[in-house]
Amino acid sequence: MDILEKIVADKRLEVALKKQLIPSLQLEQSVLFERETISLVKNLQHSPFGIIAEHKRRSPSKQVINHNLNVFDVAQGYEKAGVSGMSVLTDGKYFGGSLDDLLLARSSCNLPLLRKEFIIDSYQILEAKAYGADVILLIAAILTQEEIKSFSEFAKSLQLEVLLEVHNEAELQKSIMPSLDMIGVNNRNLKTFEVSLDTSKILSNHIPNEFIKISESGISNVEAIKELKPFGFQGFLIGENFMKTDNPGESANHFINQF
């Protein structure tokens, strides 16, 4: 099993357990379930730089990135820096995140929040809504075409925007459908963890213009963004670059000021 398969196998067990502990109805009764969501799409369309800044404590490829920061400070710092949105890792075992991180981020900023998670069940979409997310991530590599369709349509019915992540043309071709808002190209090969911006450049021509294009992974300087913009990318997901510092908000601010 490669790392992605391991994560998905563990996620299936985790979700099955959660469904027994917290019924869907309980999630739907959350105070946040009725709140009006904030559009990441609109923010990206009106931003000259389109930064989506991430909160991530660790990853399978880098191990510990930063365990010393609290989400509250990170979210406020990102908002002050003027990012377009915030991505919050909620996977515990591999990334050190939790749904509480999403909740804390929601209570401390007015940014659109992306729940960064390995979604394999519609239950997780209910969780995203109940804990204050505005956007969900669907990963084409772990989902069938039918799952992408049903999950994205369900998310839209809850007023959540949908970012679909692809790694290659085959994943992209099976996934294009009207219920998506954004298509993200992950420049990291999840099997080898190698990163190349060429992945975004090559796939950009195959992404229809009605979708916001987002480039993910390997964006560590302003030059990378300037390189990708001519290919139609309006969003840039940046995680480790900010999180490996003592003050991610300050790092994001410094990054944005270089434009």
Side-chain angles (χ1 to χ4, degrees):
M1 271 206 284
D2 63 36
I3 187 68
L4 197 54
E5 288 167 335
K6 271 188 198 151
I7 291 171
V8 170
D10 284 338
K11 193 57 62 181
R12 291 196 191 283
L13 294 173
E14 180 192 311
V15 172
L17 191 63
K18 279 186 167 181
K19 284 164 103 170
Q20 290 174 1
L21 294 171
I22 303 170
S24 298
L25 190 63
Q26 197 172 322
L27 292 172
E28 289 168 18
Q29 288 166 348
S30 152
V31 175
L32 291 171
F33 211 82
E34 297 306 316
R35 85 173 245 285
E36 201 169 314
T37 50
I38 308 161
S39 175
L40 177 59
V41 168
K42 282 182 185 158
N43 278 14
L44 292 174
Q45 284 170 334
H46 297 111
S47 169
F49 29 80
I51 305 295
I52 303 163
E54 194 152 81
H55 180 271
K56 174 162 68 171
R57 291 189 182 85
R58 64 173 191 264
S59 74
S61 59
K62 290 278 164 69
Q63 301 307 318
V64 173
I65 297 163
N66 199 327
H67 277 299
N68 303 321
L69 302 168
N70 71 61
V71 186
F72 196 87
D73 292 338
V74 174
Q76 289 198 329
Y78 282 159
E79 184 169 38
K80 200 173 164 191
V83 303
S84 299
M86 179 174 174
S87 165
V88 182
L89 256 301
T90 60
D91 173 78
K93 183 170 180 180
Y94 295 90
F95 291 87
S98 72
L99 278 165
D100 282 347
D101 290 339
L102 190 58
L103 207 54
L104 279 169
R106 178 74 291 144
S107 69
S108 47
C109 74
N110 285 312
L111 292 168
L113 297 181
L114 164 69
R115 182 187 185 188
K116 190 94 175 280
E117 182 56 90
F118 299 84
I119 289 180
I120 44 92
D121 193 296
S122 56
Y123 179 85
Q124 293 161 287
I125 302 170
L126 283 177
E127 282 183 327
K129 179 74 172 173
Y131 281 79
D134 303 284
V135 189
I136 61 153
L137 175 75
L138 297 178
I139 301 171
I142 63 174
L143 299 169
T144 65
Q145 187 178 44
E146 189 45 54
E147 284 172 328
I148 293 166
K149 185 175 187 292
S150 68
F151 292 163
S152 57
E153 287 176 355
F154 182 53
K156 300 299 284 181
S157 76
L158 299 175
Q159 277 72 57
L160 294 168
E161 290 179 337
V162 181
L163 165 62
L164 180 98
E165 177 180 297
V166 297
H167 299 84
N168 55 48
E169 195 183 338
E171 288 176 8
L172 179 61
Q173 295 308 339
K174 80 168 182 184
S175 308
I176 292 171
M177 53 188 77
S179 44
L180 306 174
D181 300 287
M182 297 161 275
I183 292 181
V185 179
N186 194 334
N187 301 307
R188 177 175 282 119
N189 182 319
L190 287 185
K191 296 189 193 302
T192 64
F193 286 106
E194 287 170 7
V195 175
S196 170
L197 293 184
D198 289 343
T199 310
S200 280
K201 293 175 187 174
I202 292 161
L203 289 183
S204 65
N205 295 328
H206 302 284
I207 302 172
N209 289 332
E210 63 259 36
F211 303 109
I212 295 274
K213 295 180 195 178
I214 294 176
S215 188
E216 310 169 15
S217 298
I219 298 159
S220 55
N221 53 44
V222 171
E223 284 63 44
I225 290 178
K226 288 177 178 169
E227 210 182 305
L228 289 165
K229 273 196 170 268
F231 291 87
F233 287 93
Q234 288 177 276
F236 305 91
L237 186 75
I238 301 177
E240 287 164 22
N241 202 48
F242 301 148
M243 282 301 293
K244 66 186 178 188
T245 67
D246 292 334
N247 189 328
E250 197 52 55
S251 301
N253 187 48
H254 176 68
F255 191 96
I256 286 167
N257 284 337
Q258 291 177 60
F259 279 92

